[in-house]
């Protein structure tokens, strides 16, 4: 079945360490996104990518980095510069230019806790 | 810039009662509108979307929403809720003019927690 796979589901990090969250999709979507979810704040866009080897900052990119070397993969690195990294992280994808309008599809999320 | 306001952070309701979850948005351009549902510790699932055409949109699980352009609202309704509808619901908008990224480059409301009591 097609979908978006995020791993791991739960992740613990010590302060000062970088950590990478994985996101893989087999929907053949061009565009991919990373959102951060905090209680009572909805979801906020961290980074997005419209095409391989290209990505743009979202609303809260500070302390995060991404890469898009393959169409299927869009890993997110939470760096030590992110002051409050404990949150639920959601990856999404959507069809790129051309074709019918469609919605974004979401993965099951990764819960990151800084200990 | 776009913004989305979900007017109720929590909505308690009894089983088989009707429910309305309210959503207002602001934007300087035309938008697409979405409602997503999230169960605890899971991702988001699309309930319904408004792209164009009829302002009354029907989605999955018996939900529907009405787009009101003059009031910039997109309220979600269900005539009779079930225990299994207990979840958090998010209203979201995307810019129609952002090309292929518009479908996933979403601005979300803060979420409404719907709790259905027996």
């Amino acid at each position: 079945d097609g979908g978006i796979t995020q791993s791991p589901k739960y992740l613990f990090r010590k302060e000062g360490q970088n950590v990478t969250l994985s996101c893989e999709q087999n929907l053949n979507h061009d565009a991919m996104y990373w959102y951060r979810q905090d209680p009572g704040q909805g979801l906020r866009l961290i980074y997005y990518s419209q095409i391989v080897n290209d990505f743009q900052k979202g609303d809260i990119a500070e302390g995060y980095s991404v890469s898009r070397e393959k169409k299927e993969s869009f890993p997110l690195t939470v760096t030590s510069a992110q002051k409050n990294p404990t949150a639920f992280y959601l990856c999404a994808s959507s069809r790129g230019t051309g074709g019918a309008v469609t919605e974004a599809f979401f993965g099951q999320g990764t819960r990151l806790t800084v200990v | 810039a776009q913004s989305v306001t979900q007017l109720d952070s929590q909505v308690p309701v009894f089983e088989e009662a009707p429910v309305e979850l309210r959503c207002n948005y602001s934007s300087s351009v035309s938008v697409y509108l979405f409602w997503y549902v999230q169960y605890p510790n899971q991702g988001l699932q699309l309930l319904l979307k408004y792209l164009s055409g009829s302002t009354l949109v029907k989605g999955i699980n018996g939900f529907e929403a009405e787009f009101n352009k003059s009031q910039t609202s997109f309220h979600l309704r269900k005539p009779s809720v079930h225990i299994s509808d207990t979840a958090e619901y998010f209203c979201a908008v995307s810019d129609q003019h952002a090309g292929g990224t518009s479908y996933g480059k979403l601005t979300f409301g803060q979420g409404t927690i719907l709790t259905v009591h027996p």
Side-chain angles (χ1 to χ4, degrees), chain A:
Chain A
D1 288 338
I4 301 176
T5 301
Q6 291 188 240
S7 62
K9 189 170 178 65
Y10 299 95
L11 189 57
F12 296 88
R13 189 196 91 174
K14 292 183 179 180
E15 285 192 26
Q17 289 182 338
N18 293 354
V19 64
T20 297
L21 283 59
S22 171
C23 178
E24 304 277 334
Q25 56 99 358
N26 61 3
L27 299 168
N28 199 32
H29 284 168
D30 291 310
M32 297 187 74
Y33 315 81
W34 275 105
Y35 288 90
R36 170 181 171 138
Q37 184 178 11
D38 297 283
Q41 296 191 45
L43 282 74
R44 293 177 290 169
L45 183 65
I46 305 172
Y47 268 98
Y48 65 103
S49 168
Q50 302 178 58
I51 197 168
V52 174
N53 292 323
D54 183 61
F55 49 82
Q56 287 80 40
K57 293 181 179 180
D59 300 317
I60 56 165
E62 185 176 353
Y64 299 98
S65 66
V66 294
S67 63
R68 187 85 187 276
E69 297 177 359
K70 298 186 299 182
K71 186 176 184 178
E72 303 79 20
S73 178
F74 192 40
L76 173 74
T77 296
V78 184
T79 75
S80 57
Q82 170 52 235
K83 298 305 179 187
N84 185 22
T86 295
F88 192 52
Y89 291 87
L90 287 158
C91 179
S93 71
S94 67
R95 191 175 298 171
T97 55
V101 176
T102 185
E103 71 273 15
F105 294 82
F106 284 81
Q108 293 299 295
T110 293
R111 185 166 298 280
L112 173 64
T113 303
V114 174
V115 297

Side-chain angles (χ1 to χ4, degrees), chain B residues 25-96:
Chain B
Y25 70 93
S26 66
S27 178
S28 57
V29 298
S30 296
V31 296
Y32 298 128
L33 295 152
F34 305 84
W35 274 99
Y36 283 89
V37 61
Q38 183 182 38
Y39 300 100
N41 291 313
Q42 293 190 26
L44 273 65
Q45 179 184 5
L46 182 74
L47 277 177
L48 48 79
K49 59 189 176 187
Y50 174 78
L51 308 177
S52 64
S54 173
T55 57
L56 183 62
V57 179
K58 294 190 182 297
I60 63 171
N61 300 340
F63 285 93
E64 63 181 31
E66 186 158 18
F67 170 55
N68 188 319
K69 188 173 183 179
S70 63
Q71 298 187 7
T72 61
S73 68
F74 191 53
H75 301 332
L76 181 70
R77 302 186 182 100
K78 186 169 182 178
S80 176
V81 294
H82 302 288
I83 297 288
S84 59
D85 292 323
T86 295
E88 189 162 17
Y89 293 78
F90 291 95
C91 180
V93 302
S94 69
D95 182 353
Q96 285 191 21

